[in-house]
Amino acid sequence: MDADVIVIGAGFAGVAAARDLTEAGHQAIVLEARDRIGGRTWYREIPGTGVWAEYGGMFISRETQPSLAAELTRYGIAVTEPAEPETIGWVRGDRREEGAGAIDRIREQLAGSSLIDALDGTAKAFASEGREALAQLDVASAGWVESLRAPDEAADYLRSFLAAMGGARLEKTSILPLLWDMIELDYTPVDAYVDLGELITNGTKALIDAMGEALEIRFGSVVTAVVTGQAGVTVTLTDGSRLKAPGAIVALPLNIWADVEFDPPLAPAKQKAATERHPGEVSKVIAVVRDAPAGYLGAGWNTPVNAGFVPKPSDEGQLFMGFSVQDRVDLDDAAAVTAAVRAHVPEADVVQTAGHDWVTDPFSKGTWLAVPPRWFSDGTFEQLREPEGRLLFAGSDIAGEGAGWIEGAVGSGREAAAAAAALLG
């Protein structure tokens, strides 16, 4: 045997799992296809600018994300709390409005819609724990917005929020997990654009580097096959080499499971999800700008950037970031990105644009988890994290708590490590 456990993937889930196993006295080898750790988080310098930015996942909440909060405390990682936005923007097509007036107006419009009734109905459906009740809500976000009978402007605002939070086109995402998130964390779509969330002061890299410091990580290791038997697991790489261990943890993004040949084949629910793939497709717009409003926070519909913000100043300029979802902008088209940024902050001088296309990235094939209709109510999602013999699964895409967030990756990685340790005896 080459190790006690082979961990496939060095994102937060894989690193958390390997760290816990190593500390428990087990030998863990981590196989990572990229030349870095962090997975779909990536804190790096925008080339040639001296400005550092999060190209992937970034927002956290110590209050509602206990697994992540524990890691931050353990390693003494500083956190920057959100500041009150100085400028609030609402971009609707060619129309742009600044100030709290738009938010107050939309809040009043939503109060007259059936949004509150929908949230109450969702809470009751979850309380009943009946799949039939949940199935009625496990529908596409686009149709659900139409059913609210909200005024056009308020409906467009909801669309911008659901696109940015859901991480995929509205016709492809289920409204159910988005509603449940609002209920569980006690917020409304209007509240969400007033409080962005916390950031790790020196970037996600500070935390993932601390967690992975003592691990054996083999970069450039692309897994092509995983064979599970009674005695252990054999993992094959693109170069034909094989590694064997009594157990393995698959900590890969869900959307690349289909690129690995599993023997025996994965359970039907996993095969279904791997084949269909979750629809998360976001262009995270990044731009170094000058003369933008400090502390800007804006929502948009019928414009490329559905949620945009200027989170912090820099000696080299300000940093604009945004989520382009419904009409996803091409990050390689600097002119298109510049136009998308200036739709939110028209007075700004766009110095340089940047970003990473996670959708075409062969090691992610998508952004954060976006749950399609029916995956919750038909039981597909809850089966994705079930172990299969000596093969365990972890990751933000399949986490029982905090799915889609760094929290989910850390928590599920630690759970998988505990299960692997129990398997080893």
Side-chain angles (χ1 to χ4, degrees):
M1 294 290 182
D2 297 290
D4 295 323
V5 180
I6 297 169
V7 179
I8 307 172
F12 269 94
V15 167
R19 189 271 318 271
D20 281 9
L21 285 165
T22 300
E23 290 184 345
H26 303 295
Q27 182 187 7
I29 294 176
V30 184
L31 303 177
E32 171 53 48
R34 307 180 194 275
D35 60 359
R36 62 174 181 83
I37 61 176
R40 284 169 288 177
T41 65
W42 192 12
Y43 186 68
R44 56 165 295 188
E45 181 185 355
I46 300 173
T49 67
V51 178
W52 285 68
E54 297 280 12
Y55 278 54
M58 58 188 275
F59 289 122
I60 64 170
S61 169
R62 288 171 294 177
E63 181 179 356
T64 61
Q65 298 175 342
S67 296
L68 184 56
E71 299 294 339
L72 293 166
T73 299
R74 171 177 176 166
Y75 294 105
I77 304 296
V79 172
T80 299
E81 297 187 4
E84 190 78 18
E86 295 182 19
T87 303
I88 296 175
W90 168 224
V91 182
R92 190 177 178 221
D94 294 333
R95 178 184 174 184
R96 180 181 181 275
E97 185 176 350
E98 279 190 10
I103 302 298
D104 293 339
R105 183 176 66 248
I106 291 168
R107 183 181 282 110
E108 291 180 7
Q109 292 174 0
L110 289 175
S113 73
S114 55
L115 174 62
I116 302 304
D117 291 340
L119 291 172
D120 289 342
T122 304
K124 291 176 182 177
F126 271 96
S128 73
E129 298 183 353
R131 292 203 186 279
E132 291 183 5
L134 292 176
Q136 298 175 20
L137 295 163
D138 201 357
V139 298
S141 300
W144 179 84
V145 172
E146 295 288 343
S147 73
L148 288 182
R149 304 182 303 278
D152 290 347
E153 182 183 32
D156 282 349
Y157 183 88
L158 276 177
R159 293 182 180 105
S160 75
F161 165 76
L162 295 173
M165 281 293 290
R169 293 180 60 87
L170 298 187
E171 60 269 23
K172 294 183 178 182
T173 57
S174 171
I175 192 63
L176 183 59
L178 296 168
L179 290 175
W180 180 243
D181 195 59
M182 293 182 227
I183 293 165
E184 194 172 40
L185 300 181
D186 191 26
Y187 70 87
T188 70
V190 178
D191 299 329
Y193 276 128
V194 178
D195 183 0
L196 268 179
E198 298 172 319
L199 296 170
I200 299 176
T201 304
N202 294 313
T204 50
K205 188 177 187 300
L207 179 58
I208 194 74
D209 282 353
M211 293 173 66
E213 184 177 6
L215 301 182
E216 181 180 350
I217 303 173
R218 300 184 182 181
F219 295 105
S221 299
V222 180
V223 173
T224 60
V226 176
V227 177
T228 307
Q230 290 185 346
V233 179
T234 301
V235 176
T236 303
L237 306 181
T238 48
D239 62 3
S241 63
R242 293 181 173 87
L243 291 90
K244 296 182 180 181
I249 297 173
V250 177
L252 298 171
L254 172 62
N255 282 1
I256 63 170
W257 283 8
D259 295 341
V260 179
E261 182 180 352
F262 291 93
D263 181 15
L266 296 177
K270 291 189 179 73
Q271 291 188 51
K272 171 188 173 181
T275 301
E276 293 180 0
R277 302 184 3 181
H278 77 76
E281 294 188 353
V282 179
S283 287
K284 186 173 184 181
V285 173
I286 302 171
V288 179
V289 299
R290 293 195 180 97
D291 300 324
Y296 174 82
L297 179 59
W301 190 249
N302 289 328
T303 190
V305 173
N306 301 117
F309 37 94
V310 179
K312 61 180 181 180
S314 164
D315 292 339
E316 304 296 328
Q318 297 166 289
L319 187 63
F320 177 95
M321 308 185 85
F323 298 126
S324 177
V325 188
Q326 195 69 12
D327 299 302
R328 200 162 70 90
V329 70
D330 181 358
L331 295 174
D332 290 329
D333 187 339
V337 174
T338 296
V341 172
R342 298 195 75 239
H344 276 266
V345 285
E347 67 277 32
D349 175 25
V350 179
V351 178
Q352 183 167 329
T353 66
H356 179 73
D357 191 344
W358 298 99
V359 178
T360 59
D361 184 325
F363 304 130
S364 59
K365 294 187 176 180
T367 45
W368 67 85
L369 173 69
V371 184
R374 314 304 298 176
W375 276 21
F376 269 110
S377 58
D378 70 7
T380 295
F381 181 75
E382 65 189 43
Q383 295 178 60
L384 299 181
R385 55 187 174 273
E386 289 297 315
E388 302 198 7
R390 293 181 172 274
L391 198 59
L392 303 161
F393 297 83
S396 175
D397 292 339
I398 63 172
E401 298 289 339
W405 299 85
I406 301 171
E407 165 73 10
V410 172
S412 70
R414 301 202 66 187
E415 288 173 3
L423 185 70
L424 294 170

